Amino acid sequence: MVFGRKCLERVTVLNFEVNLSFNYEEMSVIMVFDCFRSVLNLVWSIESCFLVVENIHDIEAEQLWIVGGGEDLPSDTNGKSANNNSLVVSFGEFLIDFVPTVGGVSLAEAPAFKKAPGGAPANVAVCVSRLGGTSAFIGKVGDDEFGRMLANILKENNVDNSGMRFDHSARTALAFVTLRADGEREFLFFRHPSADMRLRESELDINLINQAKIFHFGSISLIEEPCKSAQLAAMNIAKNSGSILSYDPNLRLPLWPSAEAARKGIMSIWDQADLIKVSEDEITFLTEGGDPYDDNVVMKNLFHPNLKLLIVTEGPAGCRYYTKTFKGRVPGIKVKPIDTTGAGDAFVGGLLSSLASDLNLFQDEKRLREALAFANACGALTVTERGAIPALPTKQAVLEALTKHHG
């Protein structure tokens, strides 16, 4: 059995990419593996890992990976290169939402539930991709049917899922979400623990993080170890590689041990972010009762010296923006809400898709206002359908909505 000259040219060893060139027309299996053994000895002890190889006659880079200590997926960029200067990498939880088939009822009153993919960071990644951008997701799910379904949903939506990991002992997280008569939500979580909470720093795809133009995250992964350390490490890697750090706290109070723990945890990374998006309710919570409409409250408590942009979302009313040199408000688009799930994520995805292609938005108020109007429309269109990912709009739909609104 032999390998052709061009069969093996590159392999990713853990988080190190190693380029290999063979000048022989044919090499035996033993010769090739001896070459890899030499490389592996420089990177990681060969005793702690092993090679998994498929289709030995025609092996590609995607079919060769290292297994050891984590539950890795073979690289799957879904035909889109992750090496893109507008890549948005989203980090955090990915789970299954169970939503009542009828609105305005409690969980106990619901006649049935419909499953749907959920998790703010994953929603943002899908939104960016659906709007025509390039995105990737990093997180952990269970090695179960739901986890595999979620990985496939990312693939179907052209999101790079190579940063996903699978846990063999913890299940994919579940959340039952009630839709009240006004379209607002109430949550009941099953995470005791769930797989997303068990992501370890050693499982991070460092190469993928280093390629991010924007690295987006929330606060839920900060609740417990080991995922807390994994998030902090990922943020540090992204910052050192020059990425813009985007933070949406996405407060889910029932998941935290206490309100004080939530407040402290969310604020613990506040000064590391370049871009922060908060809702009115989150401002009231984080400032312990402060008026979310008071600019002085917002600037004094939430704007830090290194922050490039602070966004306050106001639901259907639109959003406010604050930078070091200017501030203002951009009105929203009026729609009839059916399900507000994912509206904030769609807003963030819309903003990041614009920002990834134009970092000058931070300094140009006119272009920033245009980007925020676009983001408002993304959020508005999302609430007109049930479910988050199914309702996320395309760029064409957003532009048509804006044209209709301003026309």
Side-chain angles (χ1 to χ4, degrees), residues 35-83:
C35 291
F36 280 117
R37 190 183 307 276
S38 297
V39 174
L40 288 168
N41 282 332
L42 295 175
V43 182
W44 195 29
S45 172
I46 189 65
E47 287 81 7
S48 65
C49 62
F50 58 90
L51 289 169
V52 179
V53 181
E54 295 178 355
N55 299 332
I56 200 77
H57 289 92
D58 187 25
I59 187 168
E60 299 291 341
E62 292 82 357
Q63 297 165 328
L64 179 60
W65 67 101
I66 302 300
V67 177
E71 297 75 30
D72 299 346
L73 274 174
S75 176
D76 186 354
T77 57
N78 312 314
K80 298 178 79 170
S81 173
N83 189 16

mmCIF file of all heavy atoms in Angstrom, residues 35-83:
data_model
loop_
_atom_site.group_PDB
_atom_site.id
_atom_site.type_symbol
_atom_site.label_atom_id
_atom_site.label_comp_id
_atom_site.label_asym_id
_atom_site.label_seq_id
_atom_site.Cartn_x
_atom_site.Cartn_y
_atom_site.Cartn_z
ATOM 1 N N CYS A 35 7.406 9.949 9.337
ATOM 2 C CA CYS A 35 7.496 11.410 9.180
ATOM 3 C C CYS A 35 6.574 12.111 10.182
ATOM 4 O O CYS A 35 6.943 13.080 10.838
ATOM 5 C CB CYS A 35 7.119 11.820 7.750
ATOM 6 S SG CYS A 35 8.310 11.307 6.495
ATOM 7 N N PHE A 36 5.340 11.609 10.277
ATOM 8 C CA PHE A 36 4.403 12.216 11.209
ATOM 9 C C PHE A 36 4.876 12.042 12.655
ATOM 10 O O PHE A 36 4.697 12.917 13.489
ATOM 11 C CB PHE A 36 3.011 11.594 11.054
ATOM 12 C CG PHE A 36 2.238 12.152 9.901
ATOM 13 C CD1 PHE A 36 1.866 11.358 8.835
ATOM 14 C CD2 PHE A 36 1.902 13.505 9.884
ATOM 15 C CE1 PHE A 36 1.160 11.879 7.774
ATOM 16 C CE2 PHE A 36 1.206 14.024 8.822
ATOM 17 C CZ PHE A 36 0.832 13.206 7.757
ATOM 18 N N ARG A 37 5.468 10.902 12.951
ATOM 19 C CA ARG A 37 5.936 10.663 14.302
ATOM 20 C C ARG A 37 6.978 11.705 14.713
ATOM 21 O O ARG A 37 6.976 12.221 15.830
ATOM 22 C CB ARG A 37 6.528 9.251 14.412
ATOM 23 C CG ARG A 37 6.830 8.831 15.850
ATOM 24 C CD ARG A 37 7.488 7.454 15.879
ATOM 25 N NE ARG A 37 6.730 6.471 15.173
ATOM 26 C CZ ARG A 37 5.712 5.798 15.707
ATOM 27 N NH1 ARG A 37 5.371 6.044 16.949
ATOM 28 N NH2 ARG A 37 5.058 4.899 15.013
ATOM 29 N N SER A 38 7.850 12.067 13.797
ATOM 30 C CA SER A 38 8.872 13.070 14.090
ATOM 31 C C SER A 38 8.252 14.424 14.386
ATOM 32 O O SER A 38 8.671 15.141 15.286
ATOM 33 C CB SER A 38 9.838 13.196 12.898
ATOM 34 O OG SER A 38 10.521 11.977 12.684
ATOM 35 N N VAL A 39 7.219 14.764 13.588
ATOM 36 C CA VAL A 39 6.540 16.037 13.807
ATOM 37 C C VAL A 39 5.806 16.028 15.142
ATOM 38 O O VAL A 39 5.874 16.972 15.923
ATOM 39 C CB VAL A 39 5.550 16.331 12.661
ATOM 40 C CG1 VAL A 39 4.737 17.586 12.980
ATOM 41 C CG2 VAL A 39 6.303 16.498 11.355
ATOM 42 N N LEU A 40 5.084 14.945 15.404
ATOM 43 C CA LEU A 40 4.302 14.855 16.626
ATOM 44 C C LEU A 40 5.164 14.936 17.878
ATOM 45 O O LEU A 40 4.769 15.499 18.894
ATOM 46 C CB LEU A 40 3.494 13.559 16.639
ATOM 47 C CG LEU A 40 2.317 13.512 15.664
ATOM 48 C CD1 LEU A 40 1.792 12.089 15.562
ATOM 49 C CD2 LEU A 40 1.219 14.449 16.106
ATOM 50 N N ASN A 41 6.356 14.374 17.803
ATOM 51 C CA ASN A 41 7.233 14.422 18.953
ATOM 52 C C ASN A 41 7.624 15.842 19.319
ATOM 53 O O ASN A 41 7.934 16.143 20.476
ATOM 54 C CB ASN A 41 8.509 13.607 18.692
ATOM 55 C CG ASN A 41 8.271 12.116 18.847
ATOM 56 O OD1 ASN A 41 7.395 11.707 19.605
ATOM 57 N ND2 ASN A 41 9.029 11.312 18.134
ATOM 58 N N LEU A 42 7.580 16.745 18.338
ATOM 59 C CA LEU A 42 7.907 18.140 18.599
ATOM 60 C C LEU A 42 6.728 18.894 19.181
ATOM 61 O O LEU A 42 6.879 19.934 19.794
ATOM 62 C CB LEU A 42 8.346 18.833 17.297
ATOM 63 C CG LEU A 42 9.630 18.309 16.668
ATOM 64 C CD1 LEU A 42 9.859 19.007 15.332
ATOM 65 C CD2 LEU A 42 10.812 18.535 17.594
ATOM 66 N N VAL A 43 5.522 18.395 18.956
ATOM 67 C CA VAL A 43 4.325 19.128 19.331
ATOM 68 C C VAL A 43 3.641 18.557 20.567
ATOM 69 O O VAL A 43 3.273 19.257 21.476
ATOM 70 C CB VAL A 43 3.312 19.156 18.156
ATOM 71 C CG1 VAL A 43 2.076 19.958 18.543
ATOM 72 C CG2 VAL A 43 3.965 19.739 16.921
ATOM 73 N N TRP A 44 3.527 17.244 20.598
ATOM 74 C CA TRP A 44 2.786 16.610 21.671
ATOM 75 C C TRP A 44 3.266 15.194 21.816
ATOM 76 O O TRP A 44 3.575 14.533 20.816
ATOM 77 C CB TRP A 44 1.295 16.643 21.345
ATOM 78 C CG TRP A 44 0.397 16.352 22.500
ATOM 79 C CD1 TRP A 44 0.616 16.573 23.802
ATOM 80 C CD2 TRP A 44 -0.918 15.788 22.399
ATOM 81 N NE1 TRP A 44 -0.464 16.199 24.539
ATOM 82 C CE2 TRP A 44 -1.429 15.714 23.706
ATOM 83 C CE3 TRP A 44 -1.721 15.359 21.345
ATOM 84 C CZ2 TRP A 44 -2.678 15.220 23.988
ATOM 85 C CZ3 TRP A 44 -2.964 14.865 21.612
ATOM 86 C CH2 TRP A 44 -3.443 14.804 22.922
ATOM 87 N N SER A 45 3.334 14.679 22.987
ATOM 88 C CA SER A 45 3.832 13.324 23.202
ATOM 89 C C SER A 45 3.040 12.334 22.377
ATOM 90 O O SER A 45 1.822 12.276 22.438
ATOM 91 C CB SER A 45 3.710 12.964 24.688
ATOM 92 O OG SER A 45 4.017 11.612 24.889
ATOM 93 N N ILE A 46 3.739 11.532 21.590
ATOM 94 C CA ILE A 46 3.065 10.598 20.702
ATOM 95 C C ILE A 46 2.256 9.557 21.475
ATOM 96 O O ILE A 46 1.292 9.000 20.993
ATOM 97 C CB ILE A 46 4.104 9.889 19.783
ATOM 98 C CG1 ILE A 46 3.397 9.080 18.694
ATOM 99 C CG2 ILE A 46 5.024 9.006 20.614
ATOM 100 C CD1 ILE A 46 2.632 9.897 17.739
ATOM 101 N N GLU A 47 2.658 9.314 22.774
ATOM 102 C CA GLU A 47 1.933 8.322 23.554
ATOM 103 C C GLU A 47 0.530 8.793 23.931
ATOM 104 O O GLU A 47 -0.313 7.985 24.306
ATOM 105 C CB GLU A 47 2.708 7.982 24.837
ATOM 106 C CG GLU A 47 3.953 7.141 24.592
ATOM 107 C CD GLU A 47 5.131 7.990 24.143
ATOM 108 O OE1 GLU A 47 5.007 9.234 24.162
ATOM 109 O OE2 GLU A 47 6.164 7.418 23.751
ATOM 110 N N SER A 48 0.273 10.132 23.876
ATOM 111 C CA SER A 48 -1.008 10.647 24.342
ATOM 112 C C SER A 48 -1.971 10.923 23.209
ATOM 113 O O SER A 48 -2.985 11.548 23.397
ATOM 114 C CB SER A 48 -0.793 11.939 25.144
ATOM 115 O OG SER A 48 -0.272 12.942 24.305
ATOM 116 N N CYS A 49 -1.647 10.487 22.021
ATOM 117 C CA CYS A 49 -2.558 10.718 20.907
ATOM 118 C C CYS A 49 -2.426 9.602 19.898
ATOM 119 O O CYS A 49 -1.505 8.805 19.930
ATOM 120 C CB CYS A 49 -2.275 12.074 20.230
ATOM 121 S SG CYS A 49 -0.631 12.190 19.525
ATOM 122 N N PHE A 50 -3.356 9.546 18.991
ATOM 123 C CA PHE A 50 -3.229 8.585 17.911
ATOM 124 C C PHE A 50 -3.880 9.160 16.666
ATOM 125 O O PHE A 50 -4.740 10.030 16.730
ATOM 126 C CB PHE A 50 -3.864 7.230 18.274
ATOM 127 C CG PHE A 50 -5.314 7.292 18.636
ATOM 128 C CD1 PHE A 50 -6.285 7.158 17.676
ATOM 129 C CD2 PHE A 50 -5.698 7.497 19.961
ATOM 130 C CE1 PHE A 50 -7.623 7.202 18.019
ATOM 131 C CE2 PHE A 50 -7.032 7.541 20.305
ATOM 132 C CZ PHE A 50 -8.003 7.391 19.332
ATOM 133 N N LEU A 51 -3.447 8.672 15.532
ATOM 134 C CA LEU A 51 -3.952 9.182 14.264
ATOM 135 C C LEU A 51 -5.189 8.405 13.836
ATOM 136 O O LEU A 51 -5.252 7.192 14.001
ATOM 137 C CB LEU A 51 -2.882 9.033 13.174
ATOM 138 C CG LEU A 51 -1.680 9.973 13.286
ATOM 139 C CD1 LEU A 51 -0.600 9.536 12.305
ATOM 140 C CD2 LEU A 51 -2.096 11.390 12.995
ATOM 141 N N VAL A 52 -6.159 9.126 13.310
ATOM 142 C CA VAL A 52 -7.327 8.490 12.734
ATOM 143 C C VAL A 52 -7.306 8.777 11.246
ATOM 144 O O VAL A 52 -7.285 9.937 10.837
ATOM 145 C CB VAL A 52 -8.626 9.051 13.360
ATOM 146 C CG1 VAL A 52 -9.830 8.390 12.734
ATOM 147 C CG2 VAL A 52 -8.608 8.820 14.864
ATOM 148 N N VAL A 53 -7.302 7.760 10.444
ATOM 149 C CA VAL A 53 -7.164 7.939 9.008
ATOM 150 C C VAL A 53 -8.296 7.226 8.295
ATOM 151 O O VAL A 53 -8.631 6.101 8.614
ATOM 152 C CB VAL A 53 -5.807 7.375 8.516
ATOM 153 C CG1 VAL A 53 -5.660 7.589 7.025
ATOM 154 C CG2 VAL A 53 -4.667 8.026 9.260
ATOM 155 N N GLU A 54 -8.913 7.920 7.357
ATOM 156 C CA GLU A 54 -9.947 7.323 6.536
ATOM 157 C C GLU A 54 -9.504 7.347 5.079
ATOM 158 O O GLU A 54 -8.731 8.203 4.663
ATOM 159 C CB GLU A 54 -11.265 8.099 6.679
ATOM 160 C CG GLU A 54 -11.856 8.035 8.081
ATOM 161 C CD GLU A 54 -13.125 8.844 8.192
ATOM 162 O OE1 GLU A 54 -13.477 9.510 7.204
ATOM 163 O OE2 GLU A 54 -13.764 8.801 9.255
ATOM 164 N N ASN A 55 -10.053 6.436 4.290
ATOM 165 C CA ASN A 55 -9.779 6.392 2.855
ATOM 166 C C ASN A 55 -8.278 6.459 2.589
ATOM 167 O O ASN A 55 -7.766 7.409 2.011
ATOM 168 C CB ASN A 55 -10.494 7.544 2.138
ATOM 169 C CG ASN A 55 -11.987 7.453 2.308
ATOM 170 O OD1 ASN A 55 -12.532 6.360 2.468
ATOM 171 N ND2 ASN A 55 -12.662 8.587 2.285
ATOM 172 N N ILE A 56 -7.575 5.429 3.021
ATOM 173 C CA ILE A 56 -6.125 5.439 3.020
ATOM 174 C C ILE A 56 -5.526 5.662 1.645
ATOM 175 O O ILE A 56 -4.433 6.186 1.496
ATOM 176 C CB ILE A 56 -5.608 4.114 3.632
ATOM 177 C CG1 ILE A 56 -4.165 4.269 4.107
ATOM 178 C CG2 ILE A 56 -5.738 2.965 2.636
ATOM 179 C CD1 ILE A 56 -4.043 4.994 5.388
ATOM 180 N N HIS A 57 -6.267 5.322 0.595
ATOM 181 C CA HIS A 57 -5.709 5.455 -0.743
ATOM 182 C C HIS A 57 -5.726 6.883 -1.244
ATOM 183 O O HIS A 57 -4.921 7.264 -2.077
ATOM 184 C CB HIS A 57 -6.489 4.563 -1.732
ATOM 185 C CG HIS A 57 -6.224 3.098 -1.538
ATOM 186 N ND1 HIS A 57 -7.011 2.312 -0.721
ATOM 187 C CD2 HIS A 57 -5.255 2.297 -2.032
ATOM 188 C CE1 HIS A 57 -6.551 1.075 -0.739
ATOM 189 N NE2 HIS A 57 -5.496 1.041 -1.509
ATOM 190 N N ASP A 58 -6.669 7.677 -0.745
ATOM 191 C CA ASP A 58 -6.805 9.040 -1.281
ATOM 192 C C ASP A 58 -7.088 9.995 -0.145
ATOM 193 O O ASP A 58 -8.102 10.660 -0.089
ATOM 194 C CB ASP A 58 -7.948 9.082 -2.308
ATOM 195 C CG ASP A 58 -8.017 10.422 -3.026
ATOM 196 O OD1 ASP A 58 -6.966 11.099 -3.103
ATOM 197 O OD2 ASP A 58 -9.107 10.778 -3.504
ATOM 198 N N ILE A 59 -6.175 10.057 0.785
ATOM 199 C CA ILE A 59 -6.413 10.833 1.998
ATOM 200 C C ILE A 59 -6.305 12.328 1.730
ATOM 201 O O ILE A 59 -5.482 12.772 0.943
ATOM 202 C CB ILE A 59 -5.423 10.409 3.099
ATOM 203 C CG1 ILE A 59 -5.781 11.082 4.412
ATOM 204 C CG2 ILE A 59 -3.994 10.745 2.742
ATOM 205 C CD1 ILE A 59 -5.030 10.503 5.580
ATOM 206 N N GLU A 60 -7.195 13.087 2.353
ATOM 207 C CA GLU A 60 -7.183 14.542 2.256
ATOM 208 C C GLU A 60 -6.939 15.105 3.656
ATOM 209 O O GLU A 60 -7.071 14.415 4.667
ATOM 210 C CB GLU A 60 -8.519 15.064 1.716
ATOM 211 C CG GLU A 60 -8.853 14.575 0.321
ATOM 212 C CD GLU A 60 -7.948 15.168 -0.742
ATOM 213 O OE1 GLU A 60 -7.320 16.212 -0.466
ATOM 214 O OE2 GLU A 60 -7.863 14.596 -1.829
ATOM 215 N N ALA A 61 -6.651 16.392 3.729
ATOM 216 C CA ALA A 61 -6.384 17.014 5.025
ATOM 217 C C ALA A 61 -7.580 16.884 5.956
ATOM 218 O O ALA A 61 -7.446 16.719 7.154
ATOM 219 C CB ALA A 61 -6.020 18.487 4.843
ATOM 220 N N GLU A 62 -8.808 16.955 5.376
ATOM 221 C CA GLU A 62 -9.999 16.903 6.199
ATOM 222 C C GLU A 62 -10.208 15.530 6.826
ATOM 223 O O GLU A 62 -10.998 15.366 7.739
ATOM 224 C CB GLU A 62 -11.243 17.258 5.367
ATOM 225 C CG GLU A 62 -11.297 18.710 4.920
ATOM 226 C CD GLU A 62 -10.470 18.985 3.681
ATOM 227 O OE1 GLU A 62 -9.807 18.047 3.197
ATOM 228 O OE2 GLU A 62 -10.475 20.129 3.218
ATOM 229 N N GLN A 63 -9.530 14.504 6.323
ATOM 230 C CA GLN A 63 -9.756 13.153 6.796
ATOM 231 C C GLN A 63 -8.665 12.682 7.745
ATOM 232 O O GLN A 63 -8.601 11.520 8.098
ATOM 233 C CB GLN A 63 -9.846 12.195 5.598
ATOM 234 C CG GLN A 63 -11.033 12.531 4.696
ATOM 235 C CD GLN A 63 -10.934 11.861 3.362
ATOM 236 O OE1 GLN A 63 -9.852 11.656 2.846
ATOM 237 N NE2 GLN A 63 -12.070 11.498 2.813
ATOM 238 N N LEU A 64 -7.796 13.589 8.160
ATOM 239 C CA LEU A 64 -6.714 13.214 9.048
ATOM 240 C C LEU A 64 -6.693 14.184 10.217
ATOM 241 O O LEU A 64 -6.555 15.376 10.034
ATOM 242 C CB LEU A 64 -5.379 13.287 8.296
ATOM 243 C CG LEU A 64 -4.115 12.940 9.085
ATOM 244 C CD1 LEU A 64 -4.180 11.524 9.608
ATOM 245 C CD2 LEU A 64 -2.896 13.128 8.206
ATOM 246 N N TRP A 65 -6.905 13.646 11.429
ATOM 247 C CA TRP A 65 -6.886 14.535 12.573
ATOM 248 C C TRP A 65 -6.363 13.800 13.789
ATOM 249 O O TRP A 65 -6.186 12.594 13.794
ATOM 250 C CB TRP A 65 -8.255 15.145 12.841
ATOM 251 C CG TRP A 65 -9.329 14.217 13.297
ATOM 252 C CD1 TRP A 65 -9.780 14.031 14.557
ATOM 253 C CD2 TRP A 65 -10.133 13.364 12.470
ATOM 254 N NE1 TRP A 65 -10.795 13.123 14.594
ATOM 255 C CE2 TRP A 65 -11.035 12.690 13.321
ATOM 256 C CE3 TRP A 65 -10.174 13.090 11.104
ATOM 257 C CZ2 TRP A 65 -11.968 11.784 12.852
ATOM 258 C CZ3 TRP A 65 -11.091 12.181 10.634
ATOM 259 C CH2 TRP A 65 -11.978 11.541 11.504
ATOM 260 N N ILE A 66 -6.093 14.579 14.826
ATOM 261 C CA ILE A 66 -5.509 14.007 16.026
ATOM 262 C C ILE A 66 -6.584 13.849 17.083
ATOM 263 O O ILE A 66 -7.374 14.757 17.302
ATOM 264 C CB ILE A 66 -4.400 14.929 16.559
ATOM 265 C CG1 ILE A 66 -3.340 15.136 15.477
ATOM 266 C CG2 ILE A 66 -3.783 14.373 17.827
ATOM 267 C CD1 ILE A 66 -2.686 13.865 15.021
ATOM 268 N N VAL A 67 -6.588 12.695 17.736
ATOM 269 C CA VAL A 67 -7.530 12.470 18.812
ATOM 270 C C VAL A 67 -6.753 12.270 20.096
ATOM 271 O O VAL A 67 -5.816 11.482 20.134
ATOM 272 C CB VAL A 67 -8.411 11.236 18.535
ATOM 273 C CG1 VAL A 67 -9.331 10.988 19.716
ATOM 274 C CG2 VAL A 67 -9.210 11.443 17.264
ATOM 275 N N GLY A 68 -7.151 12.959 21.148
ATOM 276 C CA GLY A 68 -6.472 12.770 22.436
ATOM 277 C C GLY A 68 -6.922 13.813 23.418
ATOM 278 O O GLY A 68 -6.620 14.975 23.248
ATOM 279 N N GLY A 69 -7.672 13.427 24.425
ATOM 280 C CA GLY A 69 -8.099 14.357 25.459
ATOM 281 C C GLY A 69 -9.372 15.092 25.128
ATOM 282 O O GLY A 69 -10.014 15.627 25.995
ATOM 283 N N GLY A 70 -9.775 15.142 23.871
ATOM 284 C CA GLY A 70 -10.986 15.850 23.504
ATOM 285 C C GLY A 70 -11.819 15.005 22.580
ATOM 286 O O GLY A 70 -11.445 13.915 22.194
ATOM 287 N N GLU A 71 -12.973 15.523 22.220
ATOM 288 C CA GLU A 71 -13.851 14.822 21.295
ATOM 289 C C GLU A 71 -13.930 15.677 20.050
ATOM 290 O O GLU A 71 -14.809 16.520 19.913
ATOM 291 C CB GLU A 71 -15.242 14.612 21.914
ATOM 292 C CG GLU A 71 -15.218 13.744 23.161
ATOM 293 C CD GLU A 71 -14.689 14.461 24.382
ATOM 294 O OE1 GLU A 71 -14.866 15.678 24.463
ATOM 295 O OE2 GLU A 71 -14.096 13.800 25.235
ATOM 296 N N ASP A 72 -12.991 15.506 19.132
ATOM 297 C CA ASP A 72 -12.848 16.410 18.007
ATOM 298 C C ASP A 72 -13.632 15.942 16.803
ATOM 299 O O ASP A 72 -13.804 14.765 16.557
ATOM 300 C CB ASP A 72 -11.378 16.533 17.594
ATOM 301 C CG ASP A 72 -10.524 17.077 18.715
ATOM 302 O OD1 ASP A 72 -11.109 17.593 19.677
ATOM 303 O OD2 ASP A 72 -9.299 16.971 18.621
ATOM 304 N N LEU A 73 -14.056 16.886 16.040
ATOM 305 C CA LEU A 73 -14.653 16.624 14.739
ATOM 306 C C LEU A 73 -13.592 16.750 13.670
ATOM 307 O O LEU A 73 -12.698 17.580 13.779
ATOM 308 C CB LEU A 73 -15.725 17.683 14.426
ATOM 309 C CG LEU A 73 -17.134 17.476 14.939
ATOM 310 C CD1 LEU A 73 -17.935 18.727 14.618
ATOM 311 C CD2 LEU A 73 -17.769 16.276 14.300
ATOM 312 N N PRO A 74 -13.669 15.949 12.580
ATOM 313 C CA PRO A 74 -12.829 16.263 11.444
ATOM 314 C C PRO A 74 -13.210 17.643 10.939
ATOM 315 O O PRO A 74 -14.354 18.055 11.044
ATOM 316 C CB PRO A 74 -13.187 15.172 10.418
ATOM 317 C CG PRO A 74 -14.500 14.653 10.854
ATOM 318 C CD PRO A 74 -14.552 14.809 12.346
ATOM 319 N N SER A 75 -12.227 18.362 10.445
ATOM 320 C CA SER A 75 -12.479 19.734 10.004
ATOM 321 C C SER A 75 -13.581 19.768 8.970
ATOM 322 O O SER A 75 -13.600 18.987 8.029
ATOM 323 C CB SER A 75 -11.205 20.331 9.403
ATOM 324 O OG SER A 75 -11.450 21.612 8.902
ATOM 325 N N ASP A 76 -14.533 20.685 9.143
ATOM 326 C CA ASP A 76 -15.628 20.818 8.193
ATOM 327 C C ASP A 76 -15.950 22.288 8.034
ATOM 328 O O ASP A 76 -16.634 22.884 8.851
ATOM 329 C CB ASP A 76 -16.865 20.066 8.701
ATOM 330 C CG ASP A 76 -17.997 20.057 7.685
ATOM 331 O OD1 ASP A 76 -17.844 20.728 6.649
ATOM 332 O OD2 ASP A 76 -19.004 19.386 7.931
ATOM 333 N N THR A 77 -15.409 22.886 7.009
ATOM 334 C CA THR A 77 -15.658 24.305 6.772
ATOM 335 C C THR A 77 -16.753 24.494 5.737
ATOM 336 O O THR A 77 -17.013 25.590 5.289
ATOM 337 C CB THR A 77 -14.375 25.010 6.282
ATOM 338 O OG1 THR A 77 -13.901 24.351 5.109
ATOM 339 C CG2 THR A 77 -13.313 24.970 7.348
ATOM 340 N N ASN A 78 -17.408 23.380 5.352
ATOM 341 C CA ASN A 78 -18.585 23.450 4.502
ATOM 342 C C ASN A 78 -18.329 24.183 3.193
ATOM 343 O O ASN A 78 -19.176 24.895 2.674
ATOM 344 C CB ASN A 78 -19.734 24.144 5.249
ATOM 345 C CG ASN A 78 -19.923 23.580 6.629
ATOM 346 O OD1 ASN A 78 -19.931 22.356 6.794
ATOM 347 N ND2 ASN A 78 -20.032 24.430 7.624
ATOM 348 N N GLY A 79 -17.134 24.024 2.669
ATOM 349 C CA GLY A 79 -16.829 24.634 1.388
ATOM 350 C C GLY A 79 -16.444 26.090 1.473
ATOM 351 O O GLY A 79 -16.143 26.726 0.487
ATOM 352 N N LYS A 80 -16.438 26.671 2.700
ATOM 353 C CA LYS A 80 -16.080 28.080 2.868
ATOM 354 C C LYS A 80 -14.778 28.156 3.640
ATOM 355 O O LYS A 80 -14.631 27.564 4.700
ATOM 356 C CB LYS A 80 -17.177 28.830 3.629
ATOM 357 C CG LYS A 80 -18.506 28.840 2.905
ATOM 358 C CD LYS A 80 -19.559 29.547 3.709
ATOM 359 C CE LYS A 80 -19.450 31.042 3.608
ATOM 360 N NZ LYS A 80 -20.592 31.737 4.193
ATOM 361 N N SER A 81 -13.836 28.888 3.146
ATOM 362 C CA SER A 81 -12.538 28.989 3.808
ATOM 363 C C SER A 81 -12.657 29.784 5.084
ATOM 364 O O SER A 81 -13.193 30.890 5.106
ATOM 365 C CB SER A 81 -11.524 29.656 2.874
ATOM 366 O OG SER A 81 -10.324 29.914 3.552
ATOM 367 N N ALA A 82 -12.137 29.186 6.175
ATOM 368 C CA ALA A 82 -12.139 29.915 7.446
ATOM 369 C C ALA A 82 -11.091 31.016 7.440
ATOM 370 O O ALA A 82 -11.132 31.931 8.240
ATOM 371 C CB ALA A 82 -11.890 28.948 8.600
ATOM 372 N N ASN A 83 -10.129 30.909 6.523
ATOM 373 C CA ASN A 83 -9.076 31.915 6.451
ATOM 374 C C ASN A 83 -9.584 33.124 5.681
ATOM 375 O O ASN A 83 -9.227 33.365 4.545
ATOM 376 C CB ASN A 83 -7.835 31.307 5.788
ATOM 377 C CG ASN A 83 -6.650 32.236 5.878
ATOM 378 O OD1 ASN A 83 -6.645 33.182 6.664
ATOM 379 N ND2 ASN A 83 -5.644 31.964 5.072
#
